[in-house]
């Protein structure tokens, strides 16, 4: 009798504990925003350039780098990746990819594509500002099973990061 009651309770409770597709995309975007902030903070604290490179290909991942030899260039080498002392290369969750479906630009983004930064990366200078000066852009993440679930991570010219979620035909 007890086993039957526990089984019935589990059948009711377990499906409700599952993370929704929208929440899954938002969690991936929050992780990306934290990694962008961490990369920017490392540039400030070490007074070195840093970069986050986005790989929108089949792997849907991104990598962080720090100018380890102070030559003001980032070659995306393994030593620069280690110098960041952070996330290395972070793959996106299994059902999340870099993509934007057919949604319009998020507020604060005037670029095109799933990564609206030139060359699919954002550089932070020694003051933590996107480089070249005044650069802004966005990275769009979408759920693979429902392309209408899109979250945008927007980096402003001041280096601040903001999340936008596409819901009910508008950005929130």
């Amino acid at each position: 009798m007890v086993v039957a009651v526990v089984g019935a309770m589990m059948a009711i409770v377990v499906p409700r504990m599952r993370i929704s597709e929208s929440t899954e995309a938002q969690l991936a975007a929050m992780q990306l925003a934290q990694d962008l902030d961490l990369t920017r903070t490392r540039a400030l604290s070490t007074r070195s350039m840093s970069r986050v490179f986005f790989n929108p290909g089949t792997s849907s991942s991104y990598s962080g780098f720090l100018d380890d030899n102070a030559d003001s260039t980032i070659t995306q080498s393994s030593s620069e990746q280690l110098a960041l002392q952070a996330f290395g290369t972070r793959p996106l969750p299994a059902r999340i990819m870099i993509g934007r479906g057919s949604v319009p630009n998020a507020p604060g983004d005037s670029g095109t594509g799933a990564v609206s930064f030139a060359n699919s990366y954002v550089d932070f200078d020694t003051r933590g500002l996107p480089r070249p000066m005044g650069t802004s852009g966005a990275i769009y993440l979408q759920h693979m099973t429902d392309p209408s679930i899109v979250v945008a991570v927007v980096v402003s010219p001041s280096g601040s990061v903001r999340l936008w979620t596409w819901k009910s035909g508008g950005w929130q």
Side-chain angles (χ1 to χ4, degrees):
M1 184 71 155
V2 171
V3 171
V5 170
V6 169
M9 287 174 44
M10 292 297 286
I12 294 169
V13 173
V14 168
R16 292 183 186 180
M17 293 174 42
R18 193 172 146 236
I19 295 175
S20 73
E21 293 166 337
S22 178
T23 302
E24 193 174 10
Q26 288 175 343
L27 289 172
M30 287 190 309
Q31 180 67 62
L32 172 57
Q34 288 174 349
D35 288 341
L36 285 164
D37 277 337
L38 178 108
T39 304
R40 179 177 180 260
T41 301
R42 288 285 294 150
L44 280 165
S45 66
T46 61
R47 300 205 188 284
S48 299
M49 282 187 50
S50 64
R51 172 179 291 169
V52 178
F53 173 76
F54 304 98
N55 182 7
T58 56
S59 66
S60 279
S61 62
Y62 56 93
S63 304
F65 304 92
L66 182 73
D67 181 15
D68 62 341
N69 57 4
D71 65 353
S72 297
T73 59
I74 295 180
T75 60
Q76 296 182 195
S77 66
S78 58
S79 64
E80 289 175 339
Q81 197 168 41
L82 289 171
L84 185 61
Q85 298 177 351
F87 53 90
T89 296
R90 188 178 306 276
L92 293 174
R95 301 185 316 160
I96 304 296
M97 65 183 221
I98 296 173
R100 67 184 285 175
S102 60
V103 301
N105 285 1
D109 179 32
S110 59
T112 59
V115 178
S116 63
F117 290 101
N119 303 315
S120 295
Y121 62 79
V122 58
D123 283 342
F124 295 102
D125 66 16
T126 59
R127 297 171 296 159
L129 299 173
R131 185 175 152 184
M133 183 69 106
T135 299
S136 65
I139 304 93
Y140 295 87
L141 303 179
Q142 79 177 44
H143 203 280
M144 289 180 181
T145 61
D146 186 351
S148 68
I149 298 174
V150 179
V151 181
V153 180
V154 178
V155 179
S156 73
S158 67
S160 66
V161 178
R162 179 153 188 205
L163 296 178
W164 291 94
T165 303
W166 182 257
K167 284 186 183 176
S168 305
W171 289 105
Q172 299 178 7

